[in-house]
Amino acid sequence: MATKRKSSKKSRSSKYGPAAAKSVKSALHREKKGTLRSGRGGKGGKVTSRKQAIAIGLSEARKKGAKVPEKAAS
């Protein structure tokens, strides 16, 4: 008689919370629409890069207190 093995996978929580995903989705929509701007208070130019739009969305999520990993040191 064969015995069943228990899976040794540990449950891990996700890096990003749902609020962070919502913030990034919003930023991507604004980038696509052409209303997303960079810089403090939107004084910079229009954002055309998808990567930059994601970074702005994550930054906004951090400010709101959503579950987002800390920014990597450059």
Side-chain angles (χ1 to χ4, degrees), residues 31-53:
E31 182 258 331
K32 193 81 172 168
K33 196 173 164 185
T35 59
L36 185 64
R37 299 180 72 83
S38 65
R40 285 182 68 85
K43 302 283 188 200
K46 195 185 294 182
V47 173
T48 56
S49 166
R50 185 175 174 85
K51 278 187 177 182
Q52 194 175 4

Side-chain angles (χ1 to χ4, degrees), residues 16 19-31 36-39 47-64 66 68-72:
Y16 301 91
K22 189 176 178 183
S23 187
V24 170
K25 186 177 180 179
S26 167
L28 285 169
H29 279 291
R30 287 183 287 150
E31 182 258 331
L36 185 64
R37 299 180 72 83
S38 65
V47 173
T48 56
S49 166
R50 185 175 174 85
K51 278 187 177 182
Q52 194 175 4
I54 292 168
I56 290 169
L58 289 174
S59 177
E60 288 171 354
R62 273 189 200 95
K63 286 176 187 170
K64 290 178 186 174
V68 185
E70 285 184 19
K71 193 174 179 185

